[in-house]
Amino acid sequence: MDIRVITIVVLLSPISSSSSSSDATSVELNEGQLESFFRQCDLNADRYLDQEELPRWVALMVEAHVQENVPHAREEFTRVDVNRDKVVTWDEYRIMMKEHLHGNAPAFTDREQRHKFRTADENGDGVLNKIEYVALRNPMTTGYVLRRVAQELLEDFDTDRDGRVSSDEFVHHGASRVGDKNDAEIDTLRRAEFTAVMDINKDKYLDVMEFRAYLDPRGRNFVTNEARVMMHEADKDQDFRLSMGEVKDKYLHFQRHKQNQVIMAIHDEF
């Protein structure tokens, strides 16, 4: 079983199926990038990254990606807005998506993409201005989109429609337990995640802000969980700290590239 918290798979949008695993294995080692991140995270300068320092690596990756991707989305907006009316329509967006795919199967159906489009449409006028388009291309790091996603998730999990999600509703969420609804181990993991991480105010229920906090790529939960995965994958000698050598050995988990799990979790690809 993947050490990554299993519920995040349920809560986040599916990752693109049009990108193969070979895309990641073709990424070349960038020692300069790794060494720069290592120095910034090695706060006590002992040449190791421990469990307290490693979440900083995830945070740096998230911020570097956002700083790079936001200008890219702004430039893309100009290309997609073919009639130069300073808004992007659904039809303009669909044309761009089809061109981008180059004949490959899309990661999302038209219905799913239209839903993403509407979610990014903050003022509800049916088109996207430049700010809204940037939000569409960076959904999990845009405040109002993240709030909308959190609200949708709450409504999906809230089977008794009381405006909040109980532990039982979270653990036994039918749509996400089709293949493992009788798996007691997953029941235990979900209940532990609910109690220890998600239920911030300890009232035994989840509200929309707690869902939002759980999903936020800039939040403590996200960076801690991703750092836990990195440690698990790279800590060869199991001493709960990572040397530069261990990081380089598993560089695909630490280096910024589009198939890195951190990047995939915060940025939807076609």
Side-chain angles (χ1 to χ4, degrees):
M1 180 175 294
D2 191 337
I3 193 171
R4 177 176 276 101
V5 178
I6 57 171
T7 50
I8 201 70
V9 177
V10 178
L11 300 183
L12 293 179
S13 301
I15 300 302
S16 171
S17 58
S18 61
S19 299
S20 66
S21 58
S22 62
D23 292 335
T25 56
S26 66
V27 175
E28 295 183 0
L29 173 66
N30 184 335
E31 293 194 29
Q33 182 188 120
L34 295 180
E35 289 170 356
S36 174
F37 272 42
F38 196 99
R39 286 193 300 271
Q40 292 179 71
C41 297
D42 183 16
L43 301 179
N44 61 5
D46 67 350
R47 299 185 181 181
Y48 289 94
L49 300 182
D50 60 30
Q51 295 175 95
E52 298 299 320
E53 294 168 322
L54 197 54
R56 180 173 171 79
W57 190 298
V58 180
L60 288 172
M61 288 182 67
V62 171
E63 287 306 316
H65 177 74
V66 171
Q67 293 302 316
E68 179 181 277
N69 202 61
V70 166
H72 174 76
R74 289 173 180 154
E75 293 173 4
E76 187 177 85
F77 173 87
T78 301
R79 296 195 303 272
V80 178
D81 178 22
V82 293
N83 64 1
R84 300 295 185 266
D85 63 353
K86 298 184 180 180
V87 293
V88 167
T89 65
W90 167 245
D91 287 337
E92 286 175 323
Y93 184 61
R94 287 187 73 234
I95 291 171
M96 186 274 292
M97 286 192 296
K98 290 180 179 179
E99 292 175 349
H100 186 93
L101 287 170
H102 302 298
N104 295 317
F108 305 99
T109 65
D110 263 13
R111 180 180 178 182
E112 290 168 334
Q113 286 287 9
R114 185 179 284 275
H115 180 69
K116 293 174 183 293
F117 190 93
R118 289 171 176 165
T119 301
D121 181 13
E122 186 175 21
N123 61 11
D125 63 358
V127 295
L128 303 183
N129 59 34
K130 184 178 288 189
I131 293 174
E132 292 169 331
Y133 189 86
V134 171
L136 172 68
R137 304 300 281 132
N138 298 270
M140 302 309 289
T141 53
T142 302
Y144 76 85
V145 176
L146 193 57
R147 286 193 298 272
R148 290 181 176 187
V149 172
Q151 183 62 42
E152 290 177 1
L153 289 169
L154 184 146
E155 292 171 3
D156 189 47
F157 278 80
D158 180 21
T159 55
D160 65 5
R161 300 293 181 260
D162 66 349
R164 57 187 185 173
V165 174
S166 68
S167 177
D168 283 343
E169 286 174 321
F170 182 77
V171 171
H172 301 295
H173 180 238
S176 61
R177 299 298 303 275
V178 174
D180 56 31
K181 63 180 179 180
N182 296 317
D183 191 325
E185 182 181 1
I186 292 181
D187 285 356
T188 300
L189 285 171
R190 282 200 170 195
R191 203 172 295 280
E193 186 74 357
F194 180 100
T195 302
V197 178
M198 299 187 72
D199 183 17
I200 297 171
N201 62 8
K202 304 305 178 187
D203 66 350
K204 300 183 180 180
Y205 291 93
L206 302 181
D207 59 27
V208 67
M209 294 309 296
E210 287 168 323
F211 269 105
R212 185 188 186 284
Y214 184 78
L215 294 172
D216 186 359
R218 291 183 167 113
R220 181 181 62 84
N221 180 70
F222 181 88
V223 298
T224 301
N225 279 342
E226 293 299 329
R228 187 186 308 152
V229 175
M230 288 176 166
M231 182 69 74
H232 174 76
E233 295 292 338
D235 186 18
K236 187 176 181 179
D237 58 10
Q238 298 185 351
D239 63 351
F240 301 103
R241 61 181 189 171
L242 300 181
S243 66
M244 189 69 231
E246 288 174 316
V247 169
K248 288 180 180 179
D249 285 345
K250 294 290 185 178
Y251 73 92
L252 290 175
H253 293 280
F254 295 86
Q255 196 165 298
R256 287 177 54 232
H257 57 88
K258 69 178 182 179
Q259 293 300 306
N260 183 289
Q261 291 297 318
V262 173
I263 305 304
M264 293 173 75
I266 65 173
H267 177 61
D268 288 334
E269 297 287 351
F270 291 114

